[in-house]
């Protein structure tokens, strides 16, 4: 393996984030630490009495709820909600192995996007590891539907996303984004897109126990034909970009980066999880390959965000 992009990567050091959950509104601290090769993303839930559950793999088979966020069952009656943004940042930047520790029932919402995670990872840098990078290569189309909504994984020479949303709202309307992934493009074009909601739904959601920590500091709020956030939008089509951000995180729950194209129309967390179940329902749908087995043209990991250090030195990570 001569190319560094053909090897796995982890963080060059540990990171800590403090905030509160967007749904439960409870304070929470999350850490991301380096992890050994071939371990993927794992998660630990810590409790106030010093006990913990995990580490367990961050995997779609553990998804128990997809209402407004993605929730994982860690076992022993422990769960962690809203994992999609932190996992999106890791996958979006091409990190293969990381250990996530959360001391609450939900990951912190921070500013509602993946940007705080991306900025912290950019500052601390990445370490190249000795193991070859592996991918899930899509061999034939997998399609799932729910009425009008659909999600599909299909063969493609690269890692691409094609998402379209359609809301009965003048502010949002119909938006589409076609995105060929590289870490730099993810950081610049996707990571800053925030979660969003409608003011008309806020009371109902809070009565149901959701959005208790939501505010204009961490969510785009739409009321009638206007955006309530004083600063407006970060991207003209920030809504579909956030849906793409979520999809990057949800699809990373398959355990390896996907080499193929993901298409979605009016999708969300539920369909994202369902298409992974469909993918692994038959071994004919996919193949596990190393980076060196992919076409030489696939050098997306060479396109890193400006300022991020990728160290070609091997460290021993426990």
């Amino acid at each position: 393996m001569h190319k560094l992009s053909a090897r796995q990567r982890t963080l060059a050091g540990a990171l800590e984030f403090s905030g509160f959950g967007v749904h439960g509104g409870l304070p929470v601290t999350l850490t991301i630490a380096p992890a050994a090769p071939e371990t993927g993303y794992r998660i630990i839930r810590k409790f106030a009495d010093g006990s913990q559950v995990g580490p367990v793999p961050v995997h779609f088979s553990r998804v128990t709820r997809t209402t407004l966020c993605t929730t994982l069952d860690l076992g022993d009656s422990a769960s962690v909600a809203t994992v999609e943004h932190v996992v999106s940042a890791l996958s979006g930047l091409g990190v293969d192995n990381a250990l996530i520790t959360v001391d609450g029932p939900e990951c912190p919402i921070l500013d509602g996007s993946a940007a705080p995670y991306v900025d912290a990872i950019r500052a601390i840098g990445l370490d190249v590891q000795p193991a070859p990078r592996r991918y899930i290569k899509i061999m034939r189309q997998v399609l799932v539907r729910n009425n009008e909504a659909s999600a599909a994984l299909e063969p493609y020479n690269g890692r691409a996303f094609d998402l379209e949303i359609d809301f009965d709202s003048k502010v949002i309307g119909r938006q589409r984004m076609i995105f060929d992934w590289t870490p730099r493009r993810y950081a610049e074009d996707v990571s800053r897109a925030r979660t969003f909601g409608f003011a008309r739904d806020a009371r109902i959601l809070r009565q149901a126990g959701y959005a208790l920590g939501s505010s204009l500091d961490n969510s785009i709020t739409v009321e009638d034909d206007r955006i309530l956030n004083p600063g407006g939008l970060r991207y003209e089509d920030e809504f579909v970009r956030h849906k793409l951000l979520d999809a990057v995180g949800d699809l990373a729950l398959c355990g390896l980066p996907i080499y193929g194209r993901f298409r979605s129309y009016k999708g969300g967390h539920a369909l994202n999880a369902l298409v992974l179940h469909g993918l692994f329902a038959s071994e004919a749908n996919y193949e596990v390959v190393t980076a060196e087995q992919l076409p030489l043209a696939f050098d997306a990991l060479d396109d890193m965000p400006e300022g991020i250090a990728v160290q070609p030195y091997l460290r021993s990570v426990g």
Side-chain angles (χ1 to χ4, degrees):
M1 289 181 295
H2 300 293
K3 290 185 65 176
L4 293 179
S5 60
R7 296 178 181 175
Q8 294 180 25
R9 300 179 179 196
T10 191
L11 277 66
L15 300 169
E16 181 174 297
F17 306 86
S18 294
F20 50 86
V22 69
H23 294 303
L26 300 174
V28 60
T29 297
L30 178 148
T31 62
I32 315 174
E38 305 290 359
T39 56
Y41 306 145
R42 296 180 300 159
I43 191 166
I44 294 172
R45 169 77 188 274
K46 282 192 172 181
F47 295 89
D49 62 2
S51 65
Q52 70 176 50
V53 174
V56 301
V58 176
H59 196 260
F60 73 92
S61 62
R62 294 184 174 273
V63 174
T64 57
R65 194 168 68 246
T66 54
T67 303
L68 301 177
C69 67
T70 296
T71 300
L72 300 180
D73 176 15
L74 277 57
D76 295 329
S77 300
S79 65
V80 177
T82 324
V83 299
E84 59 272 15
H85 295 177
V86 60
V87 177
S88 180
L90 291 168
S91 180
L93 290 181
V95 178
D96 298 283
N97 306 298
L99 178 63
I100 303 166
T101 302
V102 188
D103 68 0
E106 189 176 3
C107 295
I109 190 61
L110 303 179
D111 74 343
S113 76
Y117 297 115
V118 166
D119 291 344
I121 295 170
R122 189 201 304 254
I124 204 167
L126 302 176
D127 275 356
V128 176
Q129 299 179 291
R133 195 162 207 256
R134 296 183 298 144
Y135 291 82
I136 297 287
K137 184 179 180 181
I138 306 301
M139 302 303 293
R140 64 181 185 181
Q141 186 191 61
V142 177
L143 174 66
V144 295
R145 295 183 182 276
N146 181 16
N147 297 321
E148 284 186 283
S150 65
L153 286 165
E154 56 194 26
Y156 180 78
N157 185 19
R159 185 181 179 191
F161 298 80
D162 182 350
L163 273 78
E164 187 172 358
I165 61 175
D166 192 358
F167 283 85
D168 185 18
S169 162
K170 292 181 180 179
V171 174
I172 304 176
R174 193 163 186 168
Q175 299 181 5
R176 183 182 183 189
M177 185 174 185
I178 300 173
F179 178 72
D180 277 296
W181 171 83
T182 73
R184 179 186 60 80
R185 290 173 185 160
Y186 174 85
E188 294 177 358
D189 299 335
V190 178
S191 71
R192 296 177 62 246
R194 296 160 295 176
T195 190
F196 60 92
F198 296 91
R200 65 174 182 261
D201 299 331
R203 182 177 178 183
I204 296 172
L205 288 173
R206 289 185 173 123
Q207 288 176 340
Y210 294 103
L212 299 178
S214 178
S215 73
L216 296 180
D217 293 329
N218 56 44
S219 303
I220 303 170
T221 302
V222 178
E223 184 177 56
D224 299 326
D225 59 351
R226 65 192 180 106
I227 295 167
L228 298 186
N229 303 67
L233 297 177
R234 294 177 176 177
Y235 309 95
E236 184 178 357
D237 55 351
E238 189 168 355
F239 303 96
V240 72
R241 291 179 192 242
H242 185 79
K243 286 289 190 178
L244 198 154
L245 184 156
D246 281 345
V248 172
D250 287 341
L251 294 181
L253 269 61
C254 74
L256 292 172
I258 289 174
Y259 185 81
R261 177 165 53 199
F262 173 72
R263 290 189 299 106
S264 174
Y265 175 68
K266 299 177 73 170
H269 298 300
L271 278 177
N272 295 345
L274 193 59
V275 79
L276 291 183
H277 281 280
L279 174 66
F280 289 97
S282 170
E283 292 184 357
N285 293 337
Y286 67 95
E287 183 180 354
V288 177
V289 299
T290 66
E292 290 192 327
Q293 293 173 297
L294 297 177
L296 293 177
F298 188 68
D299 55 0
L301 269 174
D302 292 334
D303 186 28
M304 295 299 295
E306 183 179 353
I308 191 169
V310 181
Q311 300 292 341
Y313 305 106
L314 307 179
R315 299 186 182 185
S316 176
V317 179

